[in-house]
Amino acid sequence: MNDKQLESILHEERLFPPAAAFSSEARIDESRLAALHAEAEADHEAYWARMARELLTWDKDFTVTLDESEAPNYRWFTDGELNVSRQCLDVHLDERGDKTAIIFEGEGGDKRRLSYRELTADVCRFANAMKARGIEAGDRVVIYMPMVPEAVVAMQACARIGAIHSVVFGGFSANSLRDRIQDAGAKMVITADGGHRGGQIVELKEATDRAVEQGCDTIETVIVLRRADSGCQMQDGRDIWWADAIAGQSNQCAAVPLNAEHPLFLLYTSGSTGKPKGIQHSSAGYLLHAKLTNLWVFDLHEDDVFWCTADVGWITGHTYVAYGPLAAGATIVMYEGAPTYPDAGRFWSICQRHGVTIFYTAPTAIRALMKFGDEVPAQYDLSKLRLLGTVGEPINPEAWIWYHEVIGEERCPIVDTWWQTETGGIMISPLPGAMATKPGSCTRALPGIAVDIVDEAGDSVTEPNAGGYLVIRKPWPSMLRTIWGDNDRYIETYWERFQNRFYVAGDSTHRDADGYFWIMGRIDDVLNVSGHRLGTMEVESALVAHPSVVEAAVVGRPHEVKGEALFAYVVPRGDRPTGEAMEALTRELRNWVGEELGAIAKPDDIRFADNLPKTRSGKIMRRLLRAIARGEEITQDTSTLENPAILDQLSGKA
Ligand code: PRX
């Protein structure tokens, strides 16, 4: 967040109470919310046990609600059994088998609708196809697909047979895919010959081939959906087309009861080291929160059309596309392509044509679309919209007000939802019929979610507007269980800072006099670029892997649309390039990072210097680099710099 945004957030005092008409129809109104808070505070475990029994259908009921014996590896509903896919599909067949589950629109305009019955049959057929290829409960399966219904089918099919999926965002490179396959020890990759994005074809199968060739010996099968007719190569014995894999498979496949703690999926996310971590989620606890928050935060009703624009490659696309809304029996919209393809009206045109009632997206998308002017959304009928949401980064009040006035036509409440890959579902958010919102604040924690702010000593910060670490005091059902293959890192990253007393989210925040939370940003070396987490260390490791780079430091700088942009300082091998040579190396390094990690990790700026500013103990002075990247006056003590002239190089003046 830049200082201007911070400034305007700090002075934001507008209050937007929900309209009476909205509140009177809402699932949760003010008094129900107060009762839920009171219930959760009186008995945290009993509250969650009640929710688990009311919202999920158990094959075997649980007797243990919370197992703390291996804290901070908490476990929930440990002796219960259920199947996540059954909760999302089979349970609806009697009541709403013919209801549309997925409305799909491809970037090129192709459309498809799948009812709950059809989706269930597709999931069963595909689950049988996976079994026929030797996939069993506990096996890891990597999904590297475009945003098409088959991505959800693949995820649900894994859940059905107990395979653990790890979805890799289609924008990540072959090398990132390889790292994730290797870390998870996956047996299968499910991909497509290509996906459509911004008028281009993203060649997912080609990237899969490159990844698998680089020492992914555990991969036995690659299933390939034909989507783009890109003419990809198929490897005999290993690769099989999706259509051939499901040919002749039965549309019945028993949803096996699995232990509540059976891992449902891994999802890799960036941290403050060079290596992404495989966040491991459970079955029952995760699904409970996914369903509950979809119902409450999005005030989901039977006839709603729910559109969460996130890709299934991110946690938002897991919880609010593939699992939560299906568990809640909703109709969802899935769109394959770019928000501005073929023009900046695409999102609004989809809302109009499919009658979207609840729309959930990221501030970066709102800011990007806002730039095209009010005339664009004005051309569409957005009158069906009744609720809007945002996620992924702090929303600046200007964008919030635009969203409220121009998209929501001042009628729709906005839920600004704070959560993380690790939390599994929404933690802090307004309940739209129960409380007033403030532009830029994610308001209050949900019932049963014990969010607090602590200072360096771990003491609660109670004074209004005083900042500190965002922590969660009590375990909650959808929390991550561990980092795949590295439990020490789990403890070190989230718990050790305050002696395992509470979960440390890695964000700083403050609370105003009304008890509303205002998220200030990350406290670690993680940046938020277009709502996506990027570790600066990952980008640095990618840069130094290039033969022309000796050393690199990456920091964030504010960016009008992306929120934050990457700014890289690079010490080149040999002489510092100038003129055309500098431009050529800049281009080459950006492409290199794109190859190593994916296009979203390409630095916006690269500046070359003979060395980097370091403290006496050899630590890079990141604060100084950040100040330079932001174009600020340098106020830090620079007397310890070995070579003060370096400052001119870093500032681009020499
Ligand atoms: O810094 C917070 C920011 O995004 C981080 C989590 O990123 P990720 O795991 O990729 O999940 C994003 C989608 C859930 C958080 O640590 N963040 C997320 N939501 C908000 C937010 N910052 C401010 N306001 C939000 N609503």
Side-chain angles (χ1 to χ4, degrees):
M1 197 181 319
N2 66 35
D3 292 347
K4 233 176 77 201
Q5 285 174 359
L6 195 64
E7 184 90 341
S8 62
I9 279 184
L10 290 174
H11 293 109
E12 187 54 60
E13 279 166 6
R14 283 171 284 191
L15 204 61
F16 293 80
F22 190 99
S23 293
S24 63
E25 296 295 317
R27 278 182 182 271
I28 311 278
D29 61 12
E30 206 178 331
S31 64
R32 172 117 202 264
L33 179 60
L36 288 165
H37 274 298
E39 182 187 349
E41 270 154 40
D43 191 337
H44 189 69
E45 282 185 45
Y47 167 83
W48 282 115
R50 179 169 84 81
M51 292 303 152
R53 290 203 173 91
E54 282 179 14
L55 287 162
L56 301 177
T57 312
W58 293 85
D59 291 308
K60 178 171 170 263
D61 191 17
F62 55 92
T63 61
V64 179
T65 300
L66 172 62
D67 176 356
E68 301 186 280
S69 60
E70 287 174 39
N73 290 103
Y74 294 97
R75 291 184 300 234
W76 287 85
F77 320 121
T78 43
D79 53 350
E81 287 181 10
L82 50 65
N83 181 290
V84 167
S85 160
R86 179 157 106 84
Q87 307 286 310
C88 296
L89 302 171
D90 310 49
V91 296
H92 302 306
L93 294 182
D94 286 344
E95 212 182 313
R96 45 176 90 85
D98 295 321
K99 177 174 175 176
T100 301
I102 301 181
I103 302 174
F104 169 70
E105 186 165 311
E107 193 180 72
D110 52 316
K111 294 180 191 66
R112 225 185 327 155
R113 272 173 184 264
L114 284 170
S115 67
Y116 271 92
R117 203 177 310 288
E118 290 162 332
L119 180 62
T120 308
D122 283 357
V123 168
C124 287
R125 257 190 296 268
F126 195 72
N128 287 329
M130 288 172 68
K131 285 204 279 191
R133 288 264 155 172
I135 298 297
E136 293 173 0
D139 287 343
R140 273 82 61 209
V141 171
V142 165
I143 299 176
Y144 185 55
M145 295 196 68
M147 265 306 273
V148 293
E150 285 82 357
V152 173
V153 169
M155 293 164 83
Q156 286 284 345
C158 286
R160 199 157 186 96
I161 61 176
I164 304 169
H165 62 68
S166 166
V167 184
V168 178
F169 173 55
F172 280 133
S173 68
N175 290 353
S176 296
L177 177 62
R178 172 206 57 205
D179 293 348
R180 286 159 173 76
I181 291 172
Q182 287 176 340
D183 192 78
K187 265 171 102 170
M188 175 182 272
V189 179
I190 304 167
T191 186
D193 58 350
H196 304 271
R197 180 95 196 166
Q200 312 275 323
I201 288 181
V202 185
E203 303 216 354
L204 298 164
K205 173 60 165 59
E206 190 265 334
T208 304
D209 289 342
R210 280 192 286 133
V212 176
E213 272 153 26
Q214 298 174 55
C216 294
D217 306 335
T218 51
I219 295 296
E220 294 169 4
T221 308
V222 178
I223 299 187
V224 188
L225 177 76
R226 201 187 289 277
R227 170 77 192 140
D229 281 323
S230 66
C232 66
Q233 301 290 315
M234 296 292 278
Q235 194 184 100
D236 260 359
R238 186 195 71 183
D239 301 353
I240 179 168
W241 290 106
W242 178 293
D244 296 334
I246 60 169
Q249 295 294 350
S250 160
N251 60 8
Q252 305 283 320
C253 172
V256 287
L258 293 160
N259 184 270
E261 280 294 309
H262 184 78
L264 180 63
F265 64 85
L266 312 178
L267 185 59
Y268 285 80
T269 188
S270 295
S272 44
T273 76
K275 196 171 164 267
K277 39 196 182 183
I279 303 301
Q280 180 182 320
H281 278 287
S282 72
S283 294
Y286 170 79
L287 191 72
L288 168 61
H289 202 60
K291 179 173 179 182
L292 177 150
T293 48
N294 225 125
L295 288 167
W296 293 4
V297 175
F298 297 109
D299 187 43
L300 197 71
H301 287 65
E302 193 62 45
D303 52 358
D304 274 314
V305 177
F306 179 73
W307 185 19
C308 162
T309 67
D311 191 281
V312 290
W314 309 109
I315 189 68
T316 311
H318 282 59
T319 309
Y320 300 108
V321 178
Y323 290 111
L326 297 182
T331 296
I332 63 168
V333 170
M334 273 182 92
Y335 167 57
E336 177 190 29
T340 49
Y341 189 86
D343 57 52
R346 187 60 183 263
F347 270 11
W348 319 128
S349 140
I350 293 175
C351 286
Q352 171 183 303
R353 279 180 294 106
H354 301 300
V356 172
T357 58
I358 306 168
F359 179 72
Y360 187 37
T361 197
T364 185
I366 299 168
R367 288 193 298 264
L369 295 171
M370 187 170 122
K371 280 176 81 112
F372 290 93
D374 302 1
E375 319 77 77
V376 182
Q379 292 162 29
Y380 299 91
D381 176 5
L382 300 176
S383 61
K384 286 262 172 63
L385 286 174
R386 60 178 202 90
L387 177 63
L388 302 173
T390 77
V391 60
E393 52 181 315
I395 181 164
N396 45 311
E398 292 70 19
W400 195 102
I401 293 291
W402 184 81
Y403 201 30
H404 172 70
E405 289 177 351
V406 179
I407 304 307
E409 296 166 349
E410 297 182 20
R411 168 186 75 243
C412 308
I414 296 179
V415 288
D416 174 352
T417 61
W418 179 89
W419 59 295
Q420 310 177 294
T421 304
E422 291 86 342
T423 69
I426 295 168
M427 305 292 277
I428 312 179
S429 168
L431 289 178
M435 57 209 278
T437 54
K438 299 182 188 185
S441 166
C442 50
T443 73
R444 294 163 185 268
L446 299 185
I449 302 295
V451 179
D452 199 3
I453 307 178
V454 300
D455 61 18
E456 293 290 334
D459 296 325
S460 211
V461 172
T462 46
E463 198 187 317
N465 300 321
Y469 295 85
L470 195 167
V471 300
I472 302 162
R473 288 194 171 274
K474 293 180 190 164
W476 67 101
S478 66
M479 66 197 297
L480 77 164
R481 296 310 195 250
T482 185
I483 291 174
W484 179 259
D486 199 348
N487 199 52
D488 289 347
R489 191 173 173 196
Y490 165 74
I491 293 168
E492 197 186 304
T493 310
Y494 305 108
W495 299 93
E496 248 170 31
R497 174 70 182 77
F498 298 107
Q499 302 79 43
N500 297 0
R501 282 158 55 210
F502 24 71
Y503 169 85
V504 185
D507 280 9
S508 66
T509 184
H510 71 264
R511 202 169 8 200
D512 67 19
D514 295 329
Y516 278 36
F517 286 94
W518 300 79
I519 308 293
M520 311 310 290
R522 300 285 308 184
I523 48 173
D524 50 13
D525 291 326
V526 172
L527 301 182
N528 195 324
V529 179
S530 302
H532 301 312
R533 263 159 79 165
L534 269 179
T536 52
M537 288 274 287
E538 275 173 69
V539 185
E540 287 166 11
S541 326
L543 283 166
V544 295
H546 189 280
S548 308
V549 176
V550 176
E551 206 179 7
V554 174
V555 297
R557 69 158 170 87
H559 187 283
E560 210 188 331
V561 173
K562 300 185 195 181
E564 271 184 306
L566 296 168
F567 196 116
Y569 297 90
V570 168
V571 179
R573 201 167 294 284
D575 287 339
R576 202 155 52 94
T578 52
E580 263 177 42
M582 182 178 81
E583 279 167 29
L585 187 56
T586 302
R587 260 196 314 277
E588 188 176 326
L589 291 180
R590 294 188 74 238
N591 289 338
W592 171 268
V593 173
E595 282 289 311
E596 289 285 310
L597 300 172
I600 52 165
K602 286 184 182 177
D604 276 54
D605 307 271
I606 297 186
R607 195 155 289 162
F608 297 97
D610 293 330
N611 49 47
L612 296 176
K614 296 201 180 141
T615 60
R616 286 220 172 89
S617 59
K619 269 186 82 173
I620 295 174
M621 296 167 77
R622 286 174 183 279
R623 279 223 337 248
L624 180 68
L625 293 178
R626 253 178 247 133
I628 296 170
R630 289 163 178 247
E632 288 167 5
E633 281 300 310
I634 295 164
T635 51
Q636 284 102 325
D637 177 13
T638 53
S639 58
T640 56
L641 277 181
E642 250 174 78
N643 170 11
I646 201 73
L647 283 179
D648 285 340
Q649 288 183 13
L650 297 166
S651 322
K653 292 184 198 140

